[in-house]
Amino acid sequence: LTVTTTAGASVSRVLDDIAGIGRGSDGGYRRPVFSTAERDLRGWFVAEAERRGLDVETDRNGIIWAWWGRPMDGALVTGSHLDSVPGGGAFDGPLGVVAALVAIDRMRERGVVPSRSLAVVVFPEEEGSRFGIACLGSRLLTGLLAPDAARRLLDRDGNTLADVFAGSGIDPRHLGPDPAALARIGQFVELHVEQGRGLVDLDAPIAVGSSILGHGRWKLTVTGQGNHAGTTLMHDRADPVVAAAAIVGVVAETALAFDDARATVGRFEPHPGGTNVIASRVDLWVDARHEDDAVTAALIDGIATAAGRLAGRHGCTVEVVRESWSPTVGLDPALGRAVAALVPGAPVLRSGAGHDAGILAASVPSTMLFVRNPSGISHSPEEFVERADADVSADVLADVLGGLL
Ligand SMILES: [Zn+2]
């Protein structure tokens, strides 16, 4: 393979190259896993990696690996994801992937001679925005998600994960724990845009991660009686939208009762969803998070109890099903110290957002670097990184990877 380092490539310029992929008219990105947009990005990544002379392979869970050096156990691994939430920002995921590629350019320019191999990975379905389970690729890799359950997952259009993966060339029969691939990760470092205001408040461009807040998703199904909006008297109704609306209010109220807890209803779907139709059912999803997993459990118990009471008051029933759960994860302290020593003066931050690094941390030493986001906003088009910070992130990542290699 010919090694062609792109002279002068910077993170901000490379991000410009992909800025048009999957961007909607509102400026937000829609890059669900294996959509045309995400597949275009995966193809772009493979081309960029191969242009740098990296050897690219896609494993049986759809994770792309781009190797600097031959594939080996105990390699240094970095990377992130290319999928987005609906209406997401430009940096969540791609920043870590682009910074990894540019960091390799920087290390080559500096004449770094690695003593072991380095791989850049791209995880599929990190956001869980298509199949409902965040960090799906790393959960499959590590065995946290059973392949049978994964294959049966449905997207909003009723496509099974098995069919969607097959359509993108990933044989769904081979999904599942991959100890050989996992053994190749000696250490994992994920660089990511910060999704809160920590670095803005600290006036610093880059932080080292310490922990990832426990978080989970629960689906609430509120069932009532579908009926005619004109002929059904108000007192004769069992309207699940009215019950579900009250439940949304109680989700926020219940979370406020627990210090530092977060609970969100960001998805609310009345069925069948007609203007002149009393719905028969509402599906809504609660995302809940707290550093103390026992608090999250108590929060969900409180929400479920109140939801049952409110549903009954409106002649409806409610079912609460947990769709995913990730306990609070401490990132690797020794690796964190080693990384912090390579980024002098960087503050240490915990993350309120989930990441593949948090899933991998249970199996291999993993840590994170966060890059300042002046808006403090994420999962929104207003997510932002200054060009200078984006460019510096590759230099810092090169310092870290070069130091660990
Ligand atoms: Zn992300």
Side-chain angles (χ1 to χ4, degrees), residues 129-175:
S129 58
R130 183 159 188 180
F131 292 104
I133 295 188
C135 303
L136 184 126
S138 53
R139 285 179 200 272
L140 282 168
L141 168 68
T142 55
L144 272 176
L145 174 62
D148 274 340
R151 282 187 281 264
R152 285 195 300 266
L153 291 169
L154 295 173
D155 70 10
R156 290 172 201 223
D157 299 324
N159 304 302
T160 63
L161 180 142
D163 286 345
V164 169
F165 273 53
S168 287
I170 315 294
D171 187 336
R173 292 172 301 178
H174 301 147
L175 295 177

Side-chain angles (χ1 to χ4, degrees), residues 15 143 190 233 242 285 294 310 353 376 387 405:
L15 284 169
E190 180 171 2
L233 298 180
V242 178
W285 283 261
L310 290 166
R387 296 181 76 85
L405 278 172

Side-chain angles (χ1 to χ4, degrees), residues 270-302:
H271 298 275
T275 305
N276 58 352
V277 177
I278 298 169
S280 56
R281 184 181 102 237
V282 174
D283 296 326
L284 63 102
W285 283 261
V286 176
D287 173 306
R289 306 177 189 229
H290 193 274
E291 184 150 44
D292 181 344
D293 298 334
V295 170
T296 310
L299 168 62
I300 291 298
D301 277 354

Side-chain angles (χ1 to χ4, degrees), residues 81 92-93 126-127 192 355:
H81 61 98
D92 181 353
E126 192 274 344
E127 298 289 5
H192 202 278
H355 299 285

Side-chain angles (χ1 to χ4, degrees), residues 90-392:
F91 304 93
D92 181 353
L95 179 64
V97 174
V98 172
L101 290 172
V102 177
I104 290 177
D105 299 343
R106 294 287 172 273
M107 286 186 280
R108 284 172 163 166
E109 288 159 16
R110 295 173 187 175
V112 171
V113 180
S115 62
R116 57 176 164 151
S117 299
L118 175 107
V120 181
V121 289
V122 174
F123 287 102
E125 183 66 328
E126 192 274 344
E127 298 289 5
S129 58
R130 183 159 188 180
F131 292 104
I133 295 188
C135 303
L136 184 126
S138 53
R139 285 179 200 272
L140 282 168
L141 168 68
T142 55
L144 272 176
L145 174 62
D148 274 340
R151 282 187 281 264
R152 285 195 300 266
L153 291 169
L154 295 173
D155 70 10
R156 290 172 201 223
D157 299 324
N159 304 302
T160 63
L161 180 142
D163 286 345
V164 169
F165 273 53
S168 287
I170 315 294
D171 187 336
R173 292 172 301 178
H174 301 147
L175 295 177
D178 192 343
L182 198 54
R184 292 183 166 179
I185 309 177
Q187 292 158 316
F188 181 63
V189 180
E190 180 171 2
L191 180 141
H192 202 278
V193 61
E194 200 207 343
Q195 297 177 281
R197 299 192 45 84
L199 283 167
V200 177
D201 294 342
L202 292 164
D203 195 23
I206 298 213
V208 180
S210 60
S211 68
I212 293 177
L213 216 54
H215 54 282
R217 297 179 184 192
W218 288 260
K219 181 182 182 184
L220 276 61
T221 303
V222 186
T223 305
Q225 176 61 58
N227 215 328
H228 193 288
T231 59
T232 317
L233 298 180
M234 298 310 287
H235 286 296
D236 293 340
R237 297 181 179 204
D239 185 341
V241 173
V242 178
I247 290 169
V248 172
V250 92
V251 167
E253 278 167 32
T254 310
L256 277 168
F258 293 93
D259 191 36
D260 211 30
R262 299 114 203 244
T264 305
V265 177
R267 188 176 166 196
F268 185 101
E269 297 178 355
H271 298 275
T275 305
N276 58 352
V277 177
I278 298 169
S280 56
R281 184 181 102 237
V282 174
D283 296 326
L284 63 102
W285 283 261
V286 176
D287 173 306
R289 306 177 189 229
H290 193 274
E291 184 150 44
D292 181 344
D293 298 334
V295 170
T296 310
L299 168 62
I300 291 298
D301 277 354
I303 289 171
T305 303
R309 181 168 41 75
L310 290 166
R313 186 181 297 169
H314 295 282
C316 300
T317 58
V318 62
E319 183 191 25
V320 180
V321 175
R322 190 177 84 183
E323 288 197 334
S324 71
W325 169 246
S326 305
T328 290
V329 175
L331 296 169
D332 191 74
L335 181 58
R337 279 193 298 277
V339 168
L342 294 162
V343 195
V348 174
L349 283 184
R350 59 178 198 161
S351 172
H355 299 285
D356 291 304
I359 300 297
L360 293 178
S363 304
V364 293
S366 303
T367 197
M368 294 194 69
L369 292 166
F370 294 109
V371 181
R372 175 165 54 193
N373 172 359
S375 71
I377 293 171
S378 188
H379 287 183
S380 156
E382 289 161 74
E383 176 187 279
F384 188 62
V385 174
E386 296 283 359
R387 296 181 76 85
D389 285 353
D391 293 342
V392 159

